Amino acid sequence: MHLTIPELEKKAAKIRLRSIEMIETAGGGHIGGSLSAMDIMTALYFRIMKVNPNQPKDPNRDWFILSAGHKAAGFVPVLSERGYFGDELLNTFNKLGSPFGMHPDKNKIVGCEVSTGSLGHGLPMAVGIALSLRMDKLDSTVYCLMGDGENHEGTVWEAAMGAAQHRLGNLVAIIDYNKCSMDGPIDSIVSLEPIVDKWKAFGWHVIRIDGNDMAQVVAAFEQERPAGKPCMIIADTLKGKGVPSIEGDYHWHYGVLNEKQLEQARRELGGKCNG
Amino acid sequence: MAKDGLSMADIEKMSARDAFGEALAKAGETYPNLVLLGADAIGSTRAAAFMKKFPERTFNFGIAEQEMVAAAAGFAIRGKIAVATAYGFLLSLRACEQVRTDVCYQNLNVKLMATHTGLSMSDAGTTHHSTEDVAIMRSFANMTIVAPSDALETVKAVNAVLAYEGPVYLRMGRGSLSAVNTGDYDFIIGKAITLQEGTDLTIIAYGIMVNEALIAAQKLAAEGIKARVVNMHTIKPLDVECVLKAARETGAIVTAEEHTVIGGLGEAVAATTAEYHPVPVIKVGLQDCFSVFGPEDGVRNAMGLNAEHILAAARVALERKHR
Ligand SMILES: Cc1ncc(C[n+]2csc(CCOP(=O)(O)OP(=O)(O)O)c2C)c(N)n1
């Protein structure tokens, strides 16, 4: 699938709205971080990645690892929109017996490669997957989406060193840099700055973009990468992107919109889907 | 030639640790999808034999055990048999969450091959002793725990563990220098081996404590007490049938393990008998205390882990049985 930038923008708006409504039905969800990362996930699934929902285990596929597992409320609607399963299944989100809840389970969700939820696990698992792909001489890329707060975890930096040491040119990590974690603005808790210098110093090829600007997101993924180096895309984003009244507000890490906000979201995003 | 790929004569000359290295290297031929992951201890874990033969299938993560175990999960997701090696305390304590969540929850074919477990790094002290690993691993769903007792059994266990599909913790210590298992025999995960028949009580042990159990049984025999000795090489899933048979036929049990008595084999046996056929179960192991350091024999003795302690426990078990 290879959508144009305007098509991707519409798609992202549509999935944002679906995610919000799914969270509404479920009675809660990690709304802020799901919305901030939506442009990245949409670009990956509708343009960048070699994937086939009819053959989810195609050995030649690219791999997506949602290291920040709490963004499942954004990720699961992306999978359904891409055709891995029917949209109606989203109404079961977080219900007893549903294949999906707050954090994704690879053994229950078609198209989900890795079970996550505890932060700091995805990147080291991605290292193992990337190493094994290279060992099997497969020309696939592993994409790993992390939260910014997740970078507080030591295992992220173990994997940062490991990926550079093993020259994993088939690994692309993205930080959804929405400047917030759960308790507040990240700089008021433990700052990641200077984040670009840090990842560079760890031996990564680093690109910094506006992660809510679809043209920049696509360009970051499509530009040529230096061989033998893992790539880190630092994506500046807004937590809660798409719903103006919650954008940039860390209080919206988890929640459910009220009637008025929901109306606003439907107007804003609905307009973008159709516009 | 034993059917495990190495000759019996060769195995007899090896320490358990070397036997592990050789068995793994040999298995590399059988399993082209076997990969070895290490954390800057590939040499001391003796996995180096594999690395020498298959450098392209060996990955050293440096002193980053959490990354190594998570990466092993990544390899296994792609269909590899991922063998992650490290000292037991690092796999069970440092990488605990990765084992539980990345390996067991995802139910992946990762083999945690732990070396230097128990008190075998005696002089390195408590920081390096693995005396809670069985308790930790036992509590994880999908996990299997295997602990061989000598060089021959180590070879057999490595092969059985690789042939089995799913998460396994293979617990290897220094291993008994004396062979406790003789001749060629079938090693089946989950099926205990009765090394010696007896009717008065049963001593159930694993790892290095199997040899101590045999010595204790000999001393008991001199007093006319017939002790059954069971090598419980698989701690999970426990051979419940064997345990209940021991309870029914001998009426008293002593367990012996180089591990804390909390959450180990002793509690597994006691829980099983309590549910189906209560008998006295006396647990030899670390009695809820941290270990001391020093030479191996001295440390084991100080921690209550030799034949004498099993003998004392046997007397208590017999007394309670007849009460
Ligand atoms: C290891 C771990 N610690 C704590 C949590 C609880 N938790 C869930 S989300 C979150 C904040 C994550 O912040 P960030 O990575 O910045 O994600 P985003 O802001 O994009 O949602 C926390 C602390 C967790 N899931 N895993």
Side-chain angles (χ1 to χ4, degrees):
Chain A
M1 189 164 289
H2 193 272
L3 299 191
T4 63
I5 307 270
E7 285 167 344
L8 285 170
E9 285 167 343
K10 277 190 202 170
K11 192 61 97 183
K14 181 176 177 196
I15 306 173
R16 274 195 170 94
L17 190 53
R18 188 65 189 96
S19 167
I20 288 166
E21 293 192 324
M22 185 188 83
I23 289 169
E24 209 71 20
T25 310
H30 289 92
I31 188 164
S34 293
L35 294 179
S36 59
M38 192 54 81
D39 301 296
I40 296 156
M41 290 192 281
T42 305
L44 284 171
Y45 273 92
F46 292 88
R47 174 149 163 165
I48 305 298
M49 290 204 299
K50 269 183 302 184
V51 287
N52 180 356
N54 298 319
Q55 267 182 286
K57 297 278 170 199
D58 182 347
N60 293 308
R61 71 190 181 281
D62 287 331
W63 290 66
F64 177 73
I65 287 138
L66 184 70
S67 190
H70 62 281
K71 295 176 196 288
F75 174 53
V76 163
V78 170
L79 288 181
S80 87
E81 179 68 19
R82 189 65 175 84
Y84 284 91
F85 43 80
D87 177 82
E88 67 290 343
L89 208 53
L90 298 184
N91 298 327
T92 69
F93 189 80
N94 239 352
K95 302 234 152 70
L96 193 65
S98 169
F100 22 72
M102 248 183 255
H103 303 104
D105 181 338
K106 90 179 238 298
N107 291 324
K108 296 200 180 124
I109 306 172
V110 183
C112 172
E113 307 279 17
V114 172
S115 305
T116 49
S118 181
L119 296 165
H121 289 241
L123 193 62
M125 285 196 272
V127 166
I129 291 170
L131 281 168
S132 72
L133 287 166
R134 183 166 72 192
M135 188 179 145
D136 291 347
K137 303 195 164 50
L138 287 169
D139 180 28
S140 301
T141 302
V142 182
Y143 296 92
C144 178
L145 178 61
M146 293 190 285
D148 46 3
E150 186 177 6
N151 279 247
H152 292 155
E153 287 286 356
T155 49
V156 171
W157 301 96
E158 289 184 12
M161 278 190 277
Q165 172 70 27
H166 290 291
R167 304 173 54 79
L168 292 179
N170 58 349
L171 176 61
V172 177
I174 308 106
I175 293 176
D176 178 12
Y177 198 8
N178 57 29
K179 319 291 184 303
C180 301
S181 53
M182 198 151 77
D183 271 350
I186 202 152
D187 282 344
S188 74
I189 298 169
V190 174
S191 174
L192 305 175
E193 291 300 337
I195 191 169
V196 171
D197 295 346
K198 276 183 184 142
W199 282 92
K200 274 190 181 155
F202 273 73
W204 287 56
H205 173 63
V206 183
I207 304 169
R208 186 159 192 168
I209 57 162
D210 177 342
N212 293 133
D213 178 327
M214 191 58 84
Q216 286 193 41
V217 172
V218 167
F221 285 127
E222 290 184 344
Q223 66 183 253
E224 199 153 336
R225 293 187 282 272
K229 254 191 175 193
C231 175
M232 168 56 75
I233 298 174
I234 313 269
D236 289 304
T237 59
L238 266 182
K239 203 148 175 165
K241 175 72 185 177
V243 185
S245 64
I246 71 167
E247 280 178 4
D249 181 354
Y250 75 86
H251 292 100
W252 284 94
H253 179 67
Y254 182 96
V256 60
L257 300 183
N258 63 30
E259 273 302 316
K260 230 173 101 194
Q261 288 166 319
L262 194 59
E263 262 322 297
Q264 184 193 36
R266 286 197 178 119
R267 234 179 307 117
E268 283 277 327
L269 295 166
K272 280 188 188 137
C273 304
N274 307 319
Chain B
M1 202 72 169
K3 55 180 169 295
D4 305 289
L6 296 164
S7 82
M8 292 293 280
D10 284 345
I11 295 170
E12 271 162 24
K13 283 189 247 120
M14 287 178 201
S15 73
R17 231 196 293 176
D18 289 331
F20 157 65
E22 292 304 318
L24 193 64
K26 195 90 197 147
E29 296 165 16
T30 315
Y31 301 101
N33 63 334
L34 194 165
V35 294
L36 169 69
L37 288 75
D40 200 37
I42 292 178
S44 58
T45 59
R46 297 294 194 274
F50 180 95
M51 178 170 73
K52 231 192 227 154
K53 231 161 120 183
F54 305 104
E56 73 292 346
R57 283 198 259 149
T58 304
F59 302 90
N60 199 332
F61 288 82
I63 311 158
E65 294 79 13
Q66 299 176 79
E67 184 199 7
M68 173 185 70
V69 172
F75 273 101
I77 283 172
R78 289 212 61 262
K80 307 296 178 198
I81 304 174
V83 172
T85 56
Y87 302 158
F89 76 93
L90 290 167
L91 288 172
S92 57
L93 299 173
R94 177 62 62 96
C96 180
E97 197 200 2
Q98 283 73 17
V99 172
R100 183 263 199 184
T101 301
D102 301 349
V103 175
C104 290
Y105 167 50
Q106 298 194 92
N107 202 8
L108 296 172
N109 205 14
V110 171
K111 312 305 179 192
L112 302 160
M113 298 205 175
T115 65
H116 302 73
T117 64
L119 302 171
S120 58
M121 274 197 284
S122 63
D123 51 1
T126 303
T127 56
H128 282 58
H129 296 165
S130 312
T131 50
E132 300 86 7
D133 53 341
V134 169
I136 293 165
M137 297 293 167
R138 254 188 85 215
S139 66
F140 299 154
N142 293 335
M143 184 57 103
T144 290
I145 306 170
V146 174
S149 53
D150 62 10
L152 173 62
E153 192 160 75
T154 301
V155 173
K156 289 178 178 298
V158 166
N159 290 325
V161 160
L162 292 173
Y164 169 86
E165 172 97 21
V168 179
Y169 182 72
L170 181 65
R171 185 188 207 246
M172 293 172 287
R174 186 188 58 147
S176 182
L177 293 180
S178 11
V180 295
N181 302 284
T182 44
D184 211 353
Y185 65 99
D186 286 330
F187 181 96
I188 300 162
I189 292 177
K191 198 103 197 69
I193 295 164
T194 302
L195 289 172
Q196 187 175 305
E197 278 301 347
T199 47
D200 295 328
L201 83 159
T202 303
I203 308 169
I204 307 179
Y206 62 88
I208 196 166
M209 296 307 287
V210 175
N211 192 45
E212 300 300 316
L214 286 168
I215 296 169
Q218 239 169 37
K219 293 190 176 173
L220 288 166
E223 299 172 20
I225 298 164
K226 296 188 202 70
R228 180 179 299 183
V229 178
V230 170
N231 169 10
M232 189 63 75
H233 54 68
T234 306
I235 298 127
K236 190 187 175 188
L238 188 71
D239 188 343
V240 170
E241 204 180 310
C242 168
V243 169
L244 293 181
K245 196 160 172 283
R248 274 192 298 265
E249 294 176 2
T250 71
I253 294 175
V254 170
T255 61
E257 54 194 319
E258 198 188 11
H259 185 273
T260 167
V261 292
I262 296 178
L265 170 72
E267 283 194 353
V269 167
T272 304
T273 52
E275 216 168 306
Y276 297 98
H277 191 98
V279 295
V281 175
I282 311 300
K283 304 187 288 289
V284 172
L286 273 74
Q287 304 294 323
D288 194 16
C289 60
F290 281 111
S291 49
V292 297
F293 66 88
E296 217 169 320
D297 285 356
V299 170
R300 289 218 168 83
N301 193 37
M303 301 325 294
L305 293 182
N306 59 30
E308 287 305 321
H309 301 101
I310 297 176
L311 202 59
R315 295 196 205 290
V316 175
L318 287 170
E319 192 219 302
R320 290 195 192 160
K321 172 182 170 179
H322 296 303
R323 206 155 48 193

